[in-house]
Amino acid sequence: MNASPDLAALRRHAVARSLFAPATLMAAVERLGGFVQADPLRAPARAQDLTLRHRVKGYRAGDLERRYPRLDLQEDFFINYGFVTPALRALMHPRTARREWDAARWQLARAVLAEVERLGEAHPAEVDAALGHGPVKNWFGGNSRLSTELLDGLHFRGHLDVVRRDNGTRVYRLAHPWQPPTDPQAAMDALADAVIQKYAPLPAGSLSTLISMLAGGARQWQALRKPTLARAKARLAHAHVDGVDWYWPADEDPRQGWRIPTQVRLLAPFDPVVWDRRRFELLWGWAYRFEAYTPAPKRVRGHYALPLLWRDQVIGWANASVKGGALTVDVGYVAGKPPREAAFAPALDAEVARLHDFLGLGG
């Protein structure tokens, strides 16, 4: 590139490349690097649904879960838990886990695998009823069923697939044996490209963080993180802007005329546009924090504040809730008040109406 982009160009680039024209569900997931982060909280809908509603034609809350058994997608852990394409998942398996199981644990796990094979498609309650493993303390101090914990561990290790969810609970079947990638470095490069596709443009610190996070899904190659980062920097386009090194795919130009509609969009806390908090503060000049697990008296913006994007500026947040079939949206602004532009109020009303339809509310 002959000239470096400025921060405004990077901001437009970040918004336009991620909030592309609505497509089919699978096409949208591919555009998002082959991965959509999942979260169980429903406020007013799950994060994966709130993410996809902006990018999939006619999307309604719950469509991903309803359509999942017929889609070419699989649940798995990547840099965090979510829905991945089979091609992306195949890059990570067979993988090792941070916690190694001893012989006694594997004996229990093999009994679970045998029961899943017997059932064909296994709900955790069915496995637990058959094996009677009983409760155990989970990692956050509560109680869970040992069978459920073993199913989770076997799924992470690639021995099980999730075939569907029954009222939010994962139903499993045996996975096919994995063929390890012949070139681990090429696999890591492809995993790096997936996160770059999803989150670019990226400041250098965020790029380094994301490459490190790949060890969550491919722990067997954690020693390759340093060369993977160096190789990514070598093939990406980059520029030094306002004291920060930024990186993005080499075939993209942040200075081109990225089209930003005159539109308000309420984004999920984990939406790719706002997921990287370091990048968020560089692009929009204020700190957004996810406060669902913050004690209520200490919350600044709310339990599940949705970043409010106006054109290419995140100017505030909204808390949306449904009570008695009615949608309520409470909006706050970084500047303390909404923009004075005449176009803003009807654009906000239009976004609330879209959210209403997405949630399937009547009236």
Side-chain angles (χ1 to χ4, degrees):
M1 295 174 61
N2 295 326
S4 294
D6 58 15
L7 199 62
L10 290 171
R11 185 165 51 241
R12 289 191 298 272
H13 183 213
V15 172
R17 71 183 304 279
S18 182
L19 288 166
F20 43 81
T24 65
L25 199 157
M26 285 304 304
V29 175
E30 292 284 0
R31 289 283 298 271
L32 292 171
F35 169 68
V36 177
Q37 183 174 345
D39 188 84
L41 294 181
R42 199 190 304 244
R46 293 189 177 99
Q48 54 267 36
D49 291 325
L50 291 167
T51 296
L52 291 170
R53 80 178 184 95
H54 294 292
R55 298 167 172 92
V56 178
K57 295 177 182 177
Y59 191 87
R60 296 293 180 266
D63 276 356
L64 179 58
E65 186 170 324
R66 284 188 289 270
R67 296 173 57 189
Y68 177 75
R70 304 185 302 277
L71 292 171
D72 198 17
L73 286 175
Q74 297 169 332
E75 291 190 42
D76 207 344
F77 190 93
F78 179 35
I79 58 169
N80 36 48
Y81 193 82
F83 299 85
V84 300
T85 60
L88 184 62
R89 192 180 184 211
L91 293 170
M92 299 183 284
H93 288 281
R95 68 177 167 209
T96 58
R98 181 174 298 176
R99 177 188 174 189
E100 293 186 7
W101 285 351
D102 59 19
R105 191 76 167 185
W106 269 113
Q107 184 175 358
L108 294 170
R110 281 191 288 272
V112 169
L113 288 172
E115 186 60 21
V116 173
E117 183 176 22
R118 185 186 73 82
L119 292 168
E121 295 184 357
H123 188 287
E126 295 175 305
V127 176
D128 188 64
L131 300 179
H133 283 153
V136 292
K137 288 289 183 183
N138 54 39
W139 66 274
F140 52 88
N143 289 321
S144 61
R145 309 301 294 182
L146 175 57
S147 298
T148 299
E149 188 174 291
L150 290 167
L151 287 165
D152 288 346
L154 288 165
H155 176 230
F156 180 84
R157 289 164 174 80
H159 297 283
L160 297 174
D161 294 336
V162 176
V163 292
R164 67 178 186 279
R165 285 185 177 241
D166 286 350
N167 296 318
T169 300
R170 287 175 288 198
V171 176
Y172 299 93
R173 70 180 173 205
L174 293 184
H176 294 296
W178 295 98
Q179 293 298 320
T182 56
D183 185 343
Q185 183 60 70
M188 280 290 282
D189 289 344
L191 292 171
D193 285 342
V195 292
I196 292 162
Q197 169 63 25
K198 189 175 181 72
Y199 297 115
L202 285 161
S206 298
L207 177 61
S208 179
T209 297
L210 281 165
I211 300 300
S212 292
M213 291 176 71
L214 293 177
R219 188 173 183 271
Q220 67 275 23
W221 297 326
Q222 58 182 330
L224 294 178
R225 288 178 295 178
K226 186 173 181 179
T228 299
L229 176 61
R231 289 163 65 91
K233 287 183 174 181
R235 68 178 177 272
L236 294 172
H238 67 279
H240 193 70
V241 181
D242 293 354
V244 176
D245 289 323
W246 289 80
Y247 294 86
W248 59 89
D251 60 351
E252 297 178 8
D253 184 353
R255 301 168 305 162
Q256 78 176 59
W258 296 94
R259 180 180 175 274
I260 306 293
T262 302
Q263 186 175 338
V264 167
R265 286 178 273 207
L266 297 176
L267 305 175
F270 309 114
D271 189 281
V273 172
V274 298
W275 178 86
D276 178 6
R277 305 303 190 239
R278 178 191 286 107
R279 188 183 82 160
F280 186 102
E281 293 188 36
L282 289 170
L283 293 181
W284 289 293
W286 60 282
Y288 169 76
R289 297 291 182 265
F290 181 56
E291 299 177 316
Y293 302 109
T294 301
K298 296 184 178 181
R299 291 175 187 152
V300 176
R301 299 187 174 92
H303 168 256
Y304 203 84
L306 307 173
L308 190 158
L309 180 71
W310 166 232
R311 296 184 175 134
D312 65 346
Q313 294 284 350
V314 182
I315 62 169
W317 61 92
N319 286 277
S321 61
V322 178
K323 296 180 180 179
L327 174 64
T328 300
V329 179
D330 296 319
V331 181
Y333 299 96
V334 177
K337 56 186 177 181
R340 298 177 62 183
E341 300 169 79
F344 176 75
L348 177 59
D349 290 343
E351 172 65 345
V352 172
R354 287 190 293 270
L355 186 61
H356 182 279
D357 292 344
F358 154 80
L359 294 170
L361 301 176

